[in-house]
Amino acid sequence: MTMKKSIILPYVLGSFLVAAGCTSDNNADNDQPADSETSQVSDNQDAEADSGTTAENNGSQEDNSSEAETEENEETSNGETSSVREQLKMQQSAVKLPTSFPTEENVEANIEKNSDSAYTVSYQSSSGEEIATFSGTLYDSAEDASSAMNEFQSGKEVPSYSEGATDLGHGITGYGEGAAGHQYFSWQEGNWLFSISSLTQDEMDQPSIAKKMVEYLENHMLPAPDKTGAVLVDYPQGGKQVHVDIRWQEQDKIYRLKTDRVPLDALAMTVSVK
């Protein structure tokens, strides 16, 4: 039976001051704040200038007073997240949820699915903006969970070859290739696979997006998967929207965050999962 309950989560600013740094000029579905990144298309120089300026402006907002306010908000948000957690039927030690979100509004959590083996919680701002959906699924075995992850990752890794290599910094190399009107770019960080896809005609600067993600993760830690995790960033035609799908395996469980927010917002929400 599907259950739908609502909990109001206060906004947590913390990790999102840098979150606008890496994507195309998103529409109302995935880019409400004015400082979210435009990484689109028709002109690579415009995309690079926009992204660099936004990242610098966001970084300059962090001061001692905002850090103190963030700590207070995080404590409140964690308490509200706990109230959602307690309503979920899955064994409590297996339940994980994001604890901060990229909006200045209050966040409402709706329990969309709730069983002993799976849960789904969607998050919207108080004005009705869809922010993200988070789910946890318990499989019959770790092997079954691993098979599901392998299926999700299949075909998303670009083979390493010198002509398509790009130095992403911090000792990480990404690889790009084109096929059938699409452009693909991927790289590995630990047990995580990262993959960006877009239409060739949109001329997305995928290495630039990748570099911002790599830079962000130098100071922010994703959950540690037992075997593997994957971040898929897909830009539909036109490059003005983005879909981010993040999944990782922990033993016999897979956790998943889906959002149409910019990639750095998606990473930051995943970093906040507890």
Side-chain angles (χ1 to χ4, degrees):
M1 176 181 297
T2 299
M3 301 180 61
K4 187 167 184 178
K5 302 182 180 180
S6 297
I7 300 293
I8 300 300
L9 301 180
Y11 159 67
V12 175
L13 181 61
S15 55
F16 298 98
L17 295 174
V18 295
C22 108
T23 187
S24 58
D25 186 10
N26 297 302
N27 66 8
D29 288 336
N30 76 309
D31 191 14
Q32 293 297 325
D35 60 354
S36 290
E37 182 62 32
T38 300
S39 68
Q40 196 209 6
V41 262
S42 58
D43 189 324
N44 285 340
Q45 292 180 346
D46 288 344
E48 293 174 0
D50 288 343
S51 62
T53 300
T54 305
E56 291 175 3
N57 289 341
N58 286 335
S60 67
Q61 295 176 23
E62 296 187 4
D63 56 24
N64 292 335
S65 60
S66 64
E67 288 176 2
E69 180 180 356
T70 296
E71 291 177 0
E72 180 179 352
N73 287 340
E74 283 178 345
E75 291 177 1
T76 306
S77 178
N78 288 338
E80 295 292 347
T81 298
S82 296
S83 67
V84 177
R85 186 190 310 271
E86 290 165 0
Q87 297 180 54
L88 299 176
K89 296 179 180 179
M90 186 180 286
Q91 184 177 355
Q92 289 295 296
S93 61
V95 172
K96 295 180 183 290
L97 294 169
T99 58
S100 59
F101 305 90
T103 178
E104 295 182 356
E105 302 178 42
N106 287 338
V107 175
E108 180 181 280
N110 296 308
I111 299 175
E112 304 288 352
K113 183 176 184 179
N114 193 3
S115 72
D116 292 340
S117 60
Y119 64 88
T120 299
V121 180
S122 63
Y123 297 92
Q124 299 84 31
S125 68
S126 55
S127 63
E129 176 199 358
E130 298 291 334
I131 298 175
T133 299
F134 190 85
S135 63
T137 303
L138 177 64
Y139 288 80
D140 291 336
S141 66
E143 290 75 17
D144 287 347
S146 181
S147 294
M149 280 300 305
N150 289 337
E151 182 178 352
F152 174 63
Q153 292 177 275
S154 178
K156 296 178 175 65
E157 183 174 4
V158 177
S160 58
Y161 63 105
S162 58
E163 293 82 1
T166 299
D167 182 5
L168 301 179
H170 305 286
I172 297 171
T173 302
Y175 299 91
E177 68 176 4
H182 286 75
Q183 204 69 28
Y184 303 94
F185 192 88
S186 73
W187 70 100
Q188 289 272 354
E189 293 192 45
N191 289 340
W192 283 89
L193 168 67
F194 297 81
S195 177
I196 301 173
S197 61
S198 62
L199 294 184
T200 303
Q201 67 185 26
D202 290 333
E203 299 180 352
M204 299 293 295
D205 188 355
Q206 295 177 342
S208 178
I209 297 170
K211 288 178 181 178
K212 293 181 182 299
M213 295 171 70
V214 168
E215 187 63 34
Y216 176 80
L217 292 174
E218 277 300 298
N219 298 307
H220 302 84
M221 184 176 296
L222 288 171
D226 287 342
K227 290 187 176 181
T228 185
V231 178
L232 173 62
V233 178
D234 178 58
Y235 291 93
Q237 184 174 3
K240 293 184 178 181
Q241 296 179 326
V242 63
H243 306 309
V244 184
D245 192 338
I246 301 177
R247 308 183 198 188
W248 70 98
Q249 178 189 356
E250 295 185 15
Q251 298 178 341
D252 54 355
K253 298 171 288 294
I254 289 180
Y255 299 100
R256 180 184 189 186
L257 184 138
K258 291 180 62 181
T259 183
D260 292 340
R261 301 298 297 249
V262 297
L264 291 188
D265 281 353
L267 291 179
M269 284 187 280
T270 306
V271 165
S272 80
V273 169
K274 298 179 180 179

